[in-house]
Amino acid sequence: MHPAQQVLEGLAAKGIRDLAIDYPFAPRLGWLEADLEGLGASPPAVPARQPASPETLAELVGLLYVLEGSRLGARVIAERIRALLGDKIPGSFFDNADGERAWPMFRHFAVTHCLMGEAEVAIRSARQAFGCFRYRLDTPLILDVSPID
């Protein structure tokens, strides 16, 4: 997930800056990197498919839909990780998603900034962002794993 999260968060931050939008986007990449470090792993070098940078508010809404929406399921994923792997497994990326706070703010932003006639543009942008994750998750990893003594 790291390459896709990195690319999409970078595009979101750039879009917010370039479009001069006041949106409280809170990147989560640092949490994911901390989890990888806690697992003794490095971010994979496999590049993510990179969608275009958002140039319109509708494109930004589509991109943020994916990033902010991913926060909603994070609690369920965190619970599953803990149930399967125990409480000591690093999970700050999912534990600190804050979906209950972020999603209502996003919905307000989307309703305020995306006109009904622009829905197709927002949907296309969201599909490109989902495609970035899908590409990354479908790309096989070759891990250098040392045998356990």
Side-chain angles (χ1 to χ4, degrees):
M1 288 179 52
H2 184 277
Q5 189 75 24
Q6 183 178 34
V7 164
L8 296 177
E9 283 189 7
L11 291 174
K14 182 178 182 335
I16 290 166
R17 185 178 56 251
D18 290 353
L19 295 169
I21 298 301
D22 182 23
Y23 181 79
F25 179 65
R28 296 170 52 208
L29 188 64
W31 295 116
L32 186 53
E33 290 172 346
D35 290 344
L36 288 170
E37 185 177 320
L39 292 168
S42 299
V46 178
R49 176 182 290 168
Q50 186 162 341
S53 182
E55 296 180 0
T56 68
L57 285 170
E59 290 172 340
L60 181 60
V61 165
L63 172 58
L64 289 172
Y65 172 81
V66 173
L67 288 171
E68 302 294 50
S70 72
R71 296 172 184 268
L72 291 175
R75 176 177 288 149
V76 173
I77 293 171
E79 290 170 3
R80 295 278 177 133
I81 289 171
R82 298 283 184 288
L84 292 171
L85 303 174
D87 290 336
K88 293 185 180 182
I89 194 80
S92 59
F93 178 73
F94 298 111
D95 290 334
N96 296 299
D98 201 16
E100 293 77 20
R101 180 196 61 80
W103 186 251
M105 287 191 306
F106 166 73
R107 286 199 52 192
H108 175 73
F109 173 78
V111 168
T112 304
H113 290 90
C114 191
L115 303 173
M116 289 305 288
E118 297 176 312
E120 287 301 317
V121 173
I123 290 168
R124 185 172 50 250
S125 178
R127 285 182 175 153
Q128 288 175 350
F130 280 124
C132 187
F133 275 112
R134 189 175 324 111
Y135 173 78
R136 179 62 202 104
L137 293 172
D138 287 345
T139 302
L141 284 177
I142 299 173
L143 299 175
D144 182 16
V145 179
S146 301
I148 298 174
D149 294 328

